[in-house]
């Protein structure tokens, strides 16, 4: 630790350490600028840009990306997302530059606008909204919700009503004055932590939360289960790191793959845990594991999810189609001379994994930047 930090009072030393953590690593900045110019060889001016960046980092502890650098960095962060199977369309990512927004209220409005623009009438558009970065002078805003749309989880004497994953977030929202209806699919407000000041609650307007009631193409009773899910999976608690700069509030979305909802959100025992209910409605023997009642119920639950989203006209893909698309993306990246990082445990779908082509090979597990990373 530098001596000038050690000489400060404990509180001041913590503040100084936080400033150091928000100072841009010049090596990362140079690496990104070189990557940007290497993939845009007609630009020219590489050395002048490197000099400007080095000067700003020395003077201010950070530097400012041009819009073109920001858009490229965000798209490459998606390209580098080793847990995402849906990267084939990384070039199509819509980048909303909102770095000038400085208030919690402004962040809330931009999150709402993001959902409205990404959702449309059901044709989901891959979108990222980039809000102010962390700088040595000021910590950037954050959204505490891990996705912009999440369902509340209420702990009761009879167990959790709603989504068990969101019990803690629900308690935070309630401590800030929010009161839900106590239902299974109550949409939580956004909890926004600004760079300075108090946390802010933002209730999402109903018109920006497109939800799909789940029905089955063959079993009318499925609608009686009262299941539903929202259309846009907008991740909101990760930092977009570009060239040593952290944008801590950069909500981004693609569209759902059916298994994310049907094989995880609604099926996992620590989430909505619906397999037994579906199996019992199907008349399966749930006392005998060898009859594979869980597997049968899981398939029918996923059939219902895919059918319902198609019926509603909402963009969704299935795991067989997306697996083939991923291998197309992998082939294109290799042809371009680039590494395509991938985490096998995330790329292989949670349903019928060995029946998909992504199961039968190994991947490069390294982590590349730019990237979406969890906050440290």
């Amino acid at each position: 630790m530098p001596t000038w930090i050690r000489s400060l009072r404990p509180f001041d030393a913590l503040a100084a350490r936080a400033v150091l953590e928000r100072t841009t690593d010049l090596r990362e900045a140079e690496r990104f600028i070189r990557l940007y110019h290497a993939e845009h060889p007609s630009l020219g001016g590489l050395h002048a840009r490197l000099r400007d960046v080095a000067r700003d980092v020395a003077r201010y502890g950070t530097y400012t990306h041009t819009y073109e650098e920001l858009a490229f960095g965000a798209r490459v962060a998606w390209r580098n997302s080793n847990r995402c199977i849906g990267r084939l369309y990384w070039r199509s990512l819509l980048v909303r530059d909102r770095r000038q927004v400085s208030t919690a209220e402004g962040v809330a409005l931009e999150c709402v606008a993001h959902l409205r623009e990404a959702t449309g009438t059901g044709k989901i558009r891959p979108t990222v909204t980039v809000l102010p970065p962390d700088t040595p002078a000021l910590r950037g805003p954050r959204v505490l919700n891990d996705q912009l749309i999440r369902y509340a989880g209420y702990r009761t004497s009879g167990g959790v009503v709603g989504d068990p994953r969101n019990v803690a977030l629900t308690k935070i929202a309630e401590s800030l004055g929010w009161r839900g209806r106590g239902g299974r699919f109550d949409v939580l407000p956004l909890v926004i932590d600004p760079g300075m000041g108090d946390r802010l609650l933002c209730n999402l307007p109903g018109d920006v939360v497109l939800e799909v009631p789940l029905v089955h193409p063959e079993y009318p009773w499925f609608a009686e289960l009262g299941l539903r899910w929202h259309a846009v999976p907008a991740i909101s608690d990760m930092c977009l790191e570009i060239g040593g700069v952290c944008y801590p509030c950069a909500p981004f979305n693609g569209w759902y793959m059916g298994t994310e909802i049907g094989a995880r959100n609604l099926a996992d025992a620590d989430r909505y845990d619906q397999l037994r209910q579906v199996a019992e409605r199907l008349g399966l023997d749930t006392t005998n594991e060898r009859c594979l009642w869980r597997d049968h119920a899981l398939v029918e639950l996923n059939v219902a999810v895919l059918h319902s989203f198609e019926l509603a006209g909402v963009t969704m893909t299935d795991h067989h189609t997306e697996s083939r698309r991923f291998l197309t993306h992998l082939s294109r990246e290799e042809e371009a001379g680039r590494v395509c990082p991938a985490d096998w445990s995330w790329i292989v779908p949670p349903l019928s994994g060995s029946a998909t082509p992504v199961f039968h090979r190994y991947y490069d597990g390294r982590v590349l930047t730019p990237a979406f990373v969890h906050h440290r």
Side-chain angles (χ1 to χ4, degrees), residues 14 28 51 90 197 258 289 327:
L14 289 174
E28 289 295 322
R51 284 196 301 272
W90 65 273
E289 295 291 354
L327 292 186

CSV table of all heavy atoms in Angstrom, one decimal, residues 14 28 51 90 197 258 289 327:
chain,number,residue,atom,x,y,z
A,14,LEU,N,-9.7,4.2,3.5
A,14,LEU,CA,-10.7,3.5,2.8
A,14,LEU,C,-11.1,4.2,1.5
A,14,LEU,O,-11.3,3.7,0.5
A,14,LEU,CB,-11.9,3.1,3.6
A,14,LEU,CG,-11.6,2.1,4.7
A,14,LEU,CD1,-12.9,1.9,5.6
A,14,LEU,CD2,-11.3,0.7,4.1
A,28,GLU,N,-4.6,-1.9,-19.8
A,28,GLU,CA,-5.9,-2.4,-20.4
A,28,GLU,C,-6.5,-1.4,-21.4
A,28,GLU,O,-7.0,-1.7,-22.4
A,28,GLU,CB,-6.9,-2.5,-19.2
A,28,GLU,CG,-6.7,-3.7,-18.3
A,28,GLU,CD,-6.8,-5.0,-19.1
A,28,GLU,OE1,-7.7,-5.2,-19.9
A,28,GLU,OE2,-6.0,-5.9,-18.8
A,51,ARG,N,-1.7,8.3,-27.4
A,51,ARG,CA,-1.1,9.4,-26.7
A,51,ARG,C,-2.2,10.2,-25.9
A,51,ARG,O,-2.0,10.5,-24.7
A,51,ARG,CB,-0.4,10.4,-27.7
A,51,ARG,CG,0.9,9.9,-28.2
A,51,ARG,CD,1.7,11.0,-28.8
A,51,ARG,NE,1.0,11.6,-29.9
A,51,ARG,CZ,1.1,11.2,-31.2
A,51,ARG,NH1,1.8,10.2,-31.5
A,51,ARG,NH2,0.4,11.9,-32.1
A,90,TRP,N,-23.9,-10.9,-32.3
A,90,TRP,CA,-23.2,-9.9,-31.5
A,90,TRP,C,-23.1,-8.5,-32.2
A,90,TRP,O,-23.2,-7.5,-31.6
A,90,TRP,CB,-21.9,-10.3,-31.0
A,90,TRP,CG,-20.8,-10.6,-32.1
A,90,TRP,CD1,-20.6,-11.7,-32.8
A,90,TRP,CD2,-19.9,-9.6,-32.5
A,90,TRP,NE1,-19.6,-11.5,-33.7
A,90,TRP,CE2,-19.1,-10.2,-33.5
A,90,TRP,CE3,-19.6,-8.3,-32.2
A,90,TRP,CZ2,-18.0,-9.6,-34.2
A,90,TRP,CZ3,-18.5,-7.6,-32.8
A,90,TRP,CH2,-17.8,-8.3,-33.8
A,197,GLY,N,-25.9,9.7,-2.8
A,197,GLY,CA,-27.2,9.9,-2.3
A,197,GLY,C,-27.9,8.6,-2.0
A,197,GLY,O,-27.3,7.5,-1.9
A,258,GLY,N,-35.8,-21.2,-24.6
A,258,GLY,CA,-36.9,-21.7,-23.8
A,258,GLY,C,-36.5,-22.4,-22.6
A,258,GLY,O,-37.2,-22.3,-21.5
A,289,GLU,N,-38.9,-43.1,-9.2
A,289,GLU,CA,-38.0,-42.3,-10.0
A,289,GLU,C,-37.6,-43.0,-11.3
A,289,GLU,O,-37.3,-42.4,-12.3
A,289,GLU,CB,-36.6,-42.1,-9.3
A,289,GLU,CG,-36.8,-41.2,-8.0
A,289,GLU,CD,-37.1,-39.7,-8.4
A,289,GLU,OE1,-37.2,-39.4,-9.6
A,289,GLU,OE2,-37.4,-38.9,-7.4
A,327,LEU,N,-22.5,-23.1,-32.9
A,327,LEU,CA,-21.3,-23.6,-33.6
A,327,LEU,C,-21.1,-22.9,-34.9
A,327,LEU,O,-19.9,-22.8,-35.3
A,327,LEU,CB,-21.6,-25.1,-33.9
A,327,LEU,CG,-21.7,-26.0,-32.7
A,327,LEU,CD1,-21.8,-27.5,-33.1
A,327,LEU,CD2,-20.4,-25.9,-31.8
